[in-house]
């Protein structure tokens, strides 16, 4: 088993764990964390897919992950703010 | 019956998630078979991009449109968080302590230098506007938590929007210069990318720090 395959497997496992938490957990914070773990799995998979077997790595997935991290951070911030706003209105 | 469903739900969800994971793994194996085409395309066009780091070339030149929208998404998030009007208590400054203030004196300038370095080195090595912006945002938050810096509303609004403004103005100017949206003239592409990245660094830092504070700065409203 190659190292890249191991990374990809870990990425898939993180995705599955995050998705399960997103659906099964009831608290907002747990769901937001689940979503983030899911995203991390996807990033890991994308970065792993960029490896070029000793040749130059594919820069397109790297750029996508960079964009994805920023979007994930802002989505998390908004989700936390929404969760807080919901607590306030209860 | 509902009780049974409730008991089976974790198993069902788990099984569904694992099945989805298996599909993704299968798709990943398939992408590995025909990889390399994109890498070649990027590396062939790299000399015309104005930078020598292929990731920066993709982000700011070949797929500049994505990055433009990404800066817009960041700004939109901040506007949405401000609009929620959470009425959080003012971010309290940490109590003054000699350890924190000497840390600040040491790390504040260092963070600015690191951010500038990351911005500059992004043209040829890993680095760029996002990394620099994140480091700068950390510096802003340190100052903010120390109670040393409480920028006014006007400053925050400009800092938050300058990245998108510069990016948009470039996108508007380019069709007149080269005939393509965000298609820079090859001779000065490096300069355009640096200009956009500098403005984007300021905005990303301001937006990340403002998201942490999560409170619209008080100031004149139109």
């Amino acid at each position: 088993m190659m190292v890249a395959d191991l990374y990809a497997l870990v990425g898939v496992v993180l995705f599955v764990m995050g998705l399960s938490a997103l659906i099964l957990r009831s608290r907002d914070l747990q769901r937001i964390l689940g979503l983030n773990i899911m995203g991390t799995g996807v990033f890991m998979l994308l970065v792993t897919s960029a490896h070029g077997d000793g040749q130059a790595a594919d820069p397109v997935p790297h750029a996508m992950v960079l964009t994805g991290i920023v979007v994930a951070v802002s989505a998390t911030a908004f989700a936390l703010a929404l969760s807080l706003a919901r607590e306030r209105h209860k | 019956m509902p009780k049974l469903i409730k008991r089976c739900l974790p198993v069902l969800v788990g099984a569904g998630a694992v099945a989805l994971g298996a599909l993704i793994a299968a798709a990943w194996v398939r992408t590995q078979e025909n990889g390399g085409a994109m890498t070649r395309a990027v590396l062939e066009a790299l000399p015309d991009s104005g930078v020598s780091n292929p990731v920066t070339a993709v982000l700011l030149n070949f797929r500049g449109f994505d990055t433009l929208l990404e800066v817009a998404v960041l700004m939109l998030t901040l506007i949405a968080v401000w609009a929620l009007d959470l009425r959080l208590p003012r971010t309290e400054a940490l109590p003054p302590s000699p350890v924190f203030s000497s840390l600040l004196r040491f790390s504040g300038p260092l963070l600015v230098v690191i951010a500038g370095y990351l911005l500059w080195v992004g043209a040829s090595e890993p680095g760029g506007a996002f990394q620099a912006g994140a480091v700068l945002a950390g510096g802003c938050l340190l100052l903010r938590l120390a109670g040393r810096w409480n920028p006014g509303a006007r400053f925050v609004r400009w800092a938050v929007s300058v990245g998108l403004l510069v990016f948009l103005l470039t996108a508007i100017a380019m069709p007149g210069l080269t005939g393509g949206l965000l298609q820079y003239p090859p001779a000065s592409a490096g300069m355009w990318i640096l200009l956009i990245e500098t403005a984007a660094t300021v905005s990303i830092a301001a937006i990340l720090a403002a998201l942490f504070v999560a409170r619209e700065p008080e100031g004149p409203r139109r």
Side-chain angles (χ1 to χ4, degrees), chain B residues 82-159:
Chain B
W82 279 352
L84 282 176
D85 196 14
L86 292 172
R87 297 180 193 286
L88 292 176
R90 225 176 271 273
T91 315
E92 292 287 335
L94 298 174
S97 89
V99 176
F100 190 38
S101 58
S102 53
L103 171 77
L104 201 65
R105 210 170 299 138
F106 174 72
S107 60
L110 194 66
L111 286 175
V112 175
V113 172
I114 291 174
Y117 171 75
L118 281 173
L119 172 64
W120 178 256
V121 84
S124 55
E125 304 285 329
F130 298 108
Q131 292 88 331
V135 170
L136 208 56
C140 292
L141 286 180
L142 261 183
L143 280 174
R144 169 94 195 192
L145 288 174
R148 302 282 179 90
W149 195 36
N150 196 3
R154 191 183 292 262
F155 176 83
V156 172
R157 282 175 203 158
W158 273 109

Side-chain angles (χ1 to χ4, degrees), chain A residues 4-5 8 12 15-16 19-20 23-24 45 48-49 51 56-60 62-63 66-68 70-71 73-75 77-78 81-82 84-85 88, chain B residues 9-10 13-14 17-18 20-22 24-25 28 31-32 38-39 42-43 54-55 58-59 70 73-74 77 80-81 84 86-88 130-131 208 211:
Chain A
D5 292 331
V12 171
F15 180 87
V16 169
L19 182 63
S20 311
I23 298 171
L24 292 174
L45 207 60
T48 311
S49 80
H51 84 112
D58 188 351
V60 178
H62 281 265
L66 211 52
T67 307
V70 176
V71 173
V73 164
S74 51
F78 185 54
L82 271 182
L84 209 59
R88 291 285 161 92
Chain B
L9 192 65
V13 170
V18 168
L20 190 59
I24 294 171
W28 186 80
T31 58
Q32 293 312 96
M38 207 92 93
T39 317
V42 169
L43 292 182
V55 178
V58 171
L59 274 176
E70 178 191 354
V73 164
L74 264 179
T77 311
V81 168
L84 282 176
L86 292 172
R87 297 180 193 286
L88 292 176
F130 298 108
Q131 292 88 331
L208 290 180
L211 280 174

